[in-house]
Amino acid sequence: MVPVEEVQVLHAHWSSDSITGYINPKFYIDTFSVDRVPCQDPGLKQESKQHSCMMLSSFRFVIGRSPTNSWILGLTQGCNMSTATEMTHDVVPYKLHRLEQGPDVQVKCTRDEAIKYYKQMRTIRVMETTASNLYKSKIIRGFCHLYSGQEAVAVGMEASITPDDSVITAYRAHGWTYMRGISVKGVLAELTGRSSGCALGKGGSMHMYSKNFYGGNGIVGAQVPLGAGIAFAHRYKGEDSVCVTLYGDGAANQGQLFEAFNMAKLWDLPAIFVCENNGFGMGTSAERAAASTAYYSRGDYVPGIWVDGMDVLAVKEATRFAKDYVLKNGPILLETATYRYHGHSMSDPGTSYRSRDEIQEVRQTRDPIGKFSELATSSGLLTKEEIKKMDDEIKKEVAAAAEAAKADPELPPEELYSYIYKNPPANIRVRGCDDTIWGATK
Amino acid sequence: MATAAQKICSRLSKSSVAFRFPSLLRSEVRNSKCHKYLQSRQISASPAVYGTIKLDMPSLSPTMEQGNIVKWHKKEGDTVSPGDVLCEIETDKAVISMDTEEEGILAKVIVPDNTKNVKVGTLIALMVEEGDDWKNVEIPAEAVKPAAAAGSAPSPATATSSTAQTAGGAAAHAGADLAGDGHLIGPSVKKLLQEYNIQASSVSPSGPGGALLKGDVLSYINTNKLDKKAQEAPSPAAPKLASTPPPPLAAPPVGPAAGENYVDIPLTNMRRVIAKRLTESKMTIPHAYATIDSNVGAIAELRETLKADGIKVSVNDFIIKASALALQRVPRINGIWENETLKLSPSVDISVAVATPSGLITPIVFGASYLSVDQIGNTVKELAGKAKEGKLQPHEYQGGSFSISNLGMFGISDFTAVINPPQVAIMAVGTSRSVASMSGNLSKMKVTLSYNSCAISEVEATRFLEEFRHLIEHPQTMLAGTNLDTAAEAFAF
């Protein structure tokens, strides 16, 4: 067989005994009898040929010239085209607190959305795995809190808000930073402390920011009053935007949250408070720490919704509902039930307060990415081939970003003095900084 | 970085139509431009280079620089899912399970069980993607070097083979005899055979091409519990040398193995830290030394007097007090050397070396110049007790502005000590000894000051020792309390 060209059938018609492939214009149009279509497979019976032709629309074709100059049509592996453009998904029922009506239980998702959500979740996962490896190679130092397992929360919420809406979260901020428009390199370089990091490498894991993203916050729970304040700013400026404020199940027991809830409700601020319940406040399980683990109901007079935080579409729909609600009625509380695969931080192996089996079970039965790809493939929105291809692309992209984040220069020492004062006095000196270095007074 | 999605993907693609047409794909489309689409995990037969995942020794604690691989939980060829435990690694603090986020097959374990001191970043294993040919995984060249150069403890497997090769090589080169089967027998093997009166043919050989190795004979001796024939000459230390049999793979050497008459005591982390600190000190600090001999007769007399009054103080307590006062008078010795700057310490905090079963530790007598001799004695007693029970709190042994190491109380006549950075000097105290003189026997004691000659000049070191000797020889000044005038004067120096 002479060299074979791989071509894609742009369009195909089939009858009971032949298939016409409109192939890449570079080639030509030809008709192949069903017998010539790769039914050489002995397992495929004559009566199922028609069925196999039906399936051909979603395959890649191979065409080539045999020594006898006859054209051969073959197909390469896998489906490459989806068969559906939209699916409807029944989510795990929401639990409501002080709400007559909740978000829709049936959520629609288009093919484009599916690709987008899958890519976003997968990118966060691969980015966090890379961060973990860089940490274990001592390239990332200091604090590092990973988001693996919780991807559906950030991706689902971002899908229902706009860049004009604000987000403020806790110290587990990498995934959210990426969702708020910072590149993978921007996140990883921040972690490695390099100048192309989103905070110039000065912030690290807990202090990443971007437009309308008020960052990771190092102080547990402190972002919640700030979030109420940001919501107030939106109201004050007369904007139609909301502020999403995230905190964990550990922080949920703090007093300052209830102060923030009180003021938000008192003034009916457009605030969505989100308890990302990953089951553990550091090493203490929610059950051991909270008198009530129904976090969605703990705003008392603030209405709440429990949502499956491992289902990106459920989170998306709940957020859509919540945004709509808070603009009209004031604050709402979402509890997203999710799970964290890694320890609390890199110094926590994460297995002293829960069993490995528990983690593995969640990975196998509730993983937000695995579940979503299963859903998308079974409904025909995406094909396994497409998913594999996306996975490979993401892997390469993140690996390249990691290399860049390693190679990037650190900031010069003079930068220790910048961004402290708006108009720094000449020859500013900062306590604790090496006094052989003088501040940049630009 | 594969996860559940990929797992599903790969699971499904097994049932895909492509998989049902393997003959077509293989025979007609391989090596073509469309090859990239055919690189299905199920049908690729070439040794996988694409998708090989390198696993490096991870840093599992913030201070870990190297660790020990205790045990692999996965074997070569095992399937690995995200979150699975690959192996157990002993860090400087604990044994921690190393898990992975990758999915695939563990193709090659490069650093095996029971390997010590594997540096962070060393390649320890290779994984390939599911469906790849894990048996033919390409081992990167870097893997060979670190394994051999990882240095202190080569892996048992490597040790075995290299020992075997060395022995085999030796047999071939060094004046050899022929065994019954025509193989060469090395001189040391021959000697062993003779010593134990063993027929070469009764030992099964394991060397290259069936050569009989010394290790074979030794293990034969071990298994059969043979004793040496009566010896005319004392046996040389031969069995201790290079080609002793490799230790058994499974158990780390903790006690004497049968047939071996030495015990391996693994380096403890405390000894490792001590070694590191001492080397660092000797390498980076220009040590200079000065010794002075002082008459301790007066102290002995004073002690007797105090004893009569019910106050028990030791010579060591006087030495600490004398150093503290001398430091007050020559404050440059009482400092910290940091960033090429000598920072004078506002108080005299003396680190006193105390021997504990695991090594030397230096609890601190804080504000020693303001304590009376008996207060110093009580403090030292309390600290030494805590140190021996291992109950010292970090704040009780971290810091300090000057160190004293007194081996004199154990009879050492004089010695030199290594400076304990960031301090600038340490005083090594010898025992008191009788010296004949015109006025009868004197009791004399040598102390040696080791000092950082960047921070301290010879003149200052000498002044300090002079002050120290003066105080030791006039102990009543120590009892009189701090001479504040002198101290103030000294600061002006």
Side-chain angles (χ1 to χ4, degrees):
Chain A
M1 181 151 171
V2 294
V4 177
E5 289 285 334
E6 193 270 343
V7 294
Q8 176 152 12
V9 173
L10 300 175
H11 194 62
H13 290 300
W14 50 84
S15 64
S16 58
D17 61 350
S18 70
I19 175 167
T20 309
Y22 295 81
I23 305 179
N24 187 325
K26 211 171 73 181
F27 264 83
Y28 54 89
I29 301 162
D30 201 358
T31 302
F32 308 95
S33 80
V34 170
D35 289 335
R36 298 276 298 284
V37 175
C39 293
Q40 291 105 324
D41 180 21
L44 198 62
K45 298 246 167 62
Q46 188 64 32
E47 55 266 31
S48 59
K49 275 184 186 169
Q50 174 138 17
H51 176 67
S52 106
C53 273
M54 296 293 286
M55 289 168 66
L56 285 175
S57 66
S58 53
F59 300 149
R60 264 176 198 276
F61 288 77
V62 173
I63 192 158
R65 195 182 291 271
S66 77
T68 54
N69 210 26
S70 63
W71 289 94
I72 294 172
L73 178 74
L75 77 164
T76 59
Q77 75 166 99
C79 311
N80 199 42
M81 292 177 196
S82 62
T83 53
T85 53
E86 193 176 74
M87 68 163 169
T88 307
H89 168 54
D90 290 334
V91 305
V92 177
Y94 308 97
K95 294 178 200 165
L96 305 178
H97 171 70
R98 284 188 185 245
L99 283 172
E100 296 283 299
Q101 204 166 358
D104 289 339
V105 181
Q106 289 200 323
V107 187
K108 286 203 164 90
C109 177
T110 67
R111 182 178 141 79
D112 288 346
E113 286 170 340
I115 291 176
K116 188 167 127 196
Y117 304 154
Y118 182 83
K119 274 192 178 169
Q120 290 172 335
M121 289 196 288
R122 172 61 72 189
T123 304
I124 295 175
R125 176 71 57 89
V126 177
M127 181 173 84
E128 294 295 61
T129 302
T130 306
S132 166
N133 290 339
L134 288 173
Y135 198 96
K136 287 171 184 165
S137 316
K138 293 194 162 188
I139 294 164
I140 295 174
R141 308 302 300 260
F143 291 101
C144 189
H145 307 94
L146 303 177
Y147 202 61
S148 299
Q150 304 181 208
E151 296 90 345
V153 180
V155 172
M157 300 204 83
E158 186 64 38
S160 281
I161 59 174
T162 69
D164 291 332
D165 294 318
S166 303
V167 173
I168 184 164
T169 186
Y171 46 80
R172 202 173 300 286
H174 309 170
W176 268 105
T177 309
Y178 173 72
M179 290 311 298
R180 291 261 99 189
I182 299 294
S183 66
V184 176
K185 185 189 169 193
V187 174
L188 290 178
E190 187 56 39
L191 290 170
T192 55
R194 309 306 172 106
S195 55
S196 58
C198 61
L200 302 177
K202 293 179 169 195
S205 178
M206 305 196 287
H207 305 110
M208 302 181 179
Y209 313 92
S210 74
K211 187 165 186 326
N212 287 334
F213 176 53
Y214 293 84
N217 281 261
I219 310 296
V220 176
Q223 74 279 12
V224 181
L226 297 179
I230 297 164
F232 182 69
H234 284 309
R235 162 67 43 84
Y236 184 80
K237 291 188 200 158
E239 294 162 350
D240 258 354
S241 307
V242 301
C243 178
V244 175
T245 304
L246 300 110
Y247 56 92
D249 48 292
N253 301 321
Q254 286 193 349
Q256 58 179 331
L257 269 77
F258 299 95
E259 298 177 33
F261 293 164
N262 178 51
M263 294 180 83
K265 184 60 196 165
L266 186 66
W267 296 333
D268 279 337
L269 300 177
I272 305 177
F273 295 107
V274 183
C275 175
E276 279 187 279
N277 177 4
N278 63 20
F280 298 93
M282 296 186 81
T284 308
S285 69
E287 291 72 24
R288 291 182 62 203
S292 163
T293 54
Y295 295 102
Y296 67 103
S297 70
R298 289 182 57 185
D300 189 5
Y301 39 77
V302 178
I305 304 171
W306 178 96
V307 52
D308 178 5
M310 301 299 259
D311 181 346
V312 64
L313 298 180
V315 175
K316 179 197 165 201
E317 169 58 19
T319 310
R320 182 203 61 76
F321 177 90
K323 180 175 174 182
D324 197 44
Y325 181 92
V326 298
L327 284 172
K328 292 178 191 143
N329 307 299
I332 200 169
L333 209 163
L334 296 190
E335 174 189 349
T336 59
T338 181
Y339 199 80
R340 131 165 90 70
Y341 293 153
H342 293 280
H344 162 76
S345 72
M346 297 310 290
S347 55
D348 169 20
T351 48
S352 51
Y353 45 86
R354 55 180 181 181
S355 68
R356 267 179 198 285
D357 292 343
E358 178 187 318
I359 306 169
Q360 285 306 69
E361 195 193 321
V362 176
R363 280 184 187 271
Q364 276 149 24
T365 59
R366 290 173 59 204
D367 184 69
I369 302 175
K371 249 177 50 178
F372 185 69
S373 66
E374 218 160 346
L375 187 67
T377 47
S378 64
S379 63
L381 272 191
L382 298 174
T383 65
K384 301 140 271 174
E385 182 71 6
E386 282 171 330
I387 286 176
K388 168 84 175 90
K389 211 172 143 196
M390 284 192 268
D391 285 353
D392 288 347
E393 279 165 10
I394 291 167
K395 261 193 202 178
K396 276 184 204 142
E397 183 195 322
V398 175
E403 284 311 310
K406 282 194 267 183
D408 207 48
E410 288 176 3
L411 284 184
E414 289 79 10
E415 286 292 325
L416 285 170
Y417 297 83
S418 61
Y419 301 106
I420 295 175
Y421 299 109
K422 192 176 179 202
N423 296 309
N427 291 339
I428 172 183
R429 283 181 149 195
V430 179
R431 187 176 57 179
C433 289
D434 186 337
D435 56 14
T436 58
I437 304 164
W438 290 87
T441 50
K442 56 187 183 254
Chain B
M1 299 175 199
T3 53
Q6 272 193 339
K7 196 193 284 176
I8 289 154
C9 173
S10 72
R11 203 187 301 143
L12 291 175
S13 62
K14 273 177 194 162
S15 60
S16 73
V17 174
F19 191 64
R20 288 195 266 127
F21 300 128
S23 58
L24 173 82
L25 297 173
R26 282 219 184 114
S27 58
E28 294 173 358
V29 223
R30 276 195 72 86
N31 306 321
S32 66
K33 266 194 198 167
C34 57
H35 185 89
K36 61 182 168 178
Y37 292 106
L38 297 176
Q39 239 173 2
S40 149
R41 299 153 170 209
Q42 282 75 33
I43 60 173
S44 162
S46 59
V49 176
Y50 172 77
T52 304
I53 304 158
K54 292 179 184 174
L55 299 173
D56 290 341
M57 185 72 172
S59 163
L60 295 173
S61 86
T63 51
M64 176 173 169
E65 278 168 10
Q66 56 184 23
N68 308 337
I69 293 195
V70 179
K71 187 175 186 318
W72 284 91
H73 286 281
K74 295 273 175 187
K75 294 192 297 292
E76 291 179 2
D78 281 359
T79 310
V80 177
S81 314
D84 279 356
V85 177
L86 284 179
C87 65
E88 278 173 17
I89 289 176
E90 186 181 359
T91 71
D92 49 348
K93 298 193 171 76
V95 176
I96 295 177
S97 303
M98 173 196 176
D99 49 24
T100 178
E101 282 288 301
E102 317 286 354
E103 181 186 76
I105 295 172
L106 184 64
K108 179 80 192 159
V109 171
I110 292 167
V111 181
D113 291 2
N114 280 325
T115 310
K116 303 253 159 133
N117 304 333
V118 183
K119 287 216 167 59
V120 169
T122 310
L123 185 63
I124 56 171
L126 292 172
M127 272 174 63
V128 295
E129 290 191 9
E130 213 174 322
D132 282 342
D133 183 4
W134 62 269
K135 284 178 183 158
N136 290 328
V137 69
E138 218 169 279
I139 298 163
E142 55 176 299
V144 186
K145 265 187 266 163
S152 36
S155 65
T158 326
T160 316
S161 62
S162 67
T163 314
Q165 276 162 15
T166 323
H173 297 295
D177 270 11
L178 282 180
D181 58 1
H183 270 111
L184 293 170
I185 291 184
S188 64
V189 179
K190 188 181 162 198
K191 184 157 181 293
L192 261 185
L193 292 172
Q194 282 171 352
E195 277 176 349
Y196 285 86
N197 198 13
I198 303 168
Q199 291 298 314
S201 54
S202 53
V203 184
S204 50
S206 71
L212 188 61
L213 307 181
K214 186 168 179 183
D216 302 332
V217 184
L218 284 170
S219 59
Y220 179 85
I221 293 168
N222 276 343
T223 18
N224 294 296
K225 302 199 169 55
L226 297 180
D227 287 323
K228 277 186 190 181
K229 285 193 303 180
Q231 290 288 310
E232 298 85 340
S235 85
K240 285 189 185 175
L241 293 179
S243 49
T244 41
L249 281 183
V254 283
E260 288 171 357
N261 45 11
Y262 54 85
V263 180
D264 288 353
I265 297 170
L267 186 60
T268 64
N269 278 331
M270 182 164 174
R271 297 255 26 123
R272 187 178 285 125
V273 170
I274 290 173
K276 197 177 148 194
R277 291 286 307 272
L278 289 184
T279 313
E280 197 181 293
S281 170
K282 274 286 212 179
M283 300 272 284
T284 58
I285 298 174
H287 280 60
Y289 308 94
T291 304
I292 203 164
D293 212 1
S294 35
N295 187 350
V296 289
I299 286 182
E301 279 169 31
L302 189 57
R303 279 183 71 209
E304 289 303 316
T305 318
L306 290 171
K307 205 172 170 183
D309 291 341
I311 302 170
K312 280 187 187 169
V313 283
S314 67
V315 178
N316 192 46
D317 302 335
F318 278 103
I319 292 169
I320 293 172
K321 179 70 180 174
S323 318
L325 294 178
L327 286 169
Q328 231 178 18
R329 295 174 190 184
V330 191
R332 281 183 71 103
I333 313 284
N334 188 48
I336 300 295
W337 184 249
E338 258 175 3
N339 298 326
E340 312 213 324
T341 310
L342 179 63
K343 296 178 180 170
L344 297 187
S345 171
S347 67
V348 178
D349 304 326
I350 297 188
S351 309
V352 182
V354 172
T356 71
S358 46
L360 222 57
I361 193 155
T362 53
I364 299 164
V365 181
F366 286 98
S369 55
Y370 298 112
L371 296 178
S372 65
V373 180
D374 60 327
Q375 278 173 326
I376 289 177
N378 292 338
T379 313
V380 171
K381 239 176 259 164
E382 190 193 334
L383 290 171
K386 277 189 186 177
K388 277 169 188 157
E389 289 167 28
K391 284 184 184 160
L392 281 179
Q393 299 297 309
H395 68 86
E396 290 175 308
Y397 60 83
Q398 283 173 6
S401 53
F402 181 78
S403 291
I404 296 178
S405 178
N406 186 350
L407 292 180
M409 58 173 97
F410 305 112
I412 300 295
S413 58
D414 63 291
F415 70 107
T416 56
V418 181
I419 296 168
N420 182 17
Q423 294 173 10
V424 290
I426 182 168
M427 193 168 75
V429 182
T431 192
S432 55
R433 66 200 193 284
S434 275
V435 178
S437 80
M438 296 295 283
S439 50
N441 271 2
L442 293 179
S443 189
K444 287 210 156 192
M445 175 185 80
K446 269 187 188 170
V447 297
T448 303
L449 185 75
S450 312
Y451 58 95
N452 179 341
S453 57
C454 271
I456 301 172
S457 71
E458 289 81 347
V459 178
E460 283 148 359
T462 308
R463 265 202 64 198
F464 169 80
L465 288 172
E466 274 176 351
E467 290 287 355
F468 175 78
R469 180 171 64 184
H470 180 80
L471 287 158
I472 287 289
E473 292 180 351
H474 304 88
Q476 62 278 16
T477 37
M478 288 190 251
L479 296 185
T482 312
N483 187 338
L484 290 173
D485 288 344
T486 326
E489 212 175 281
F491 267 106
F493 170 72

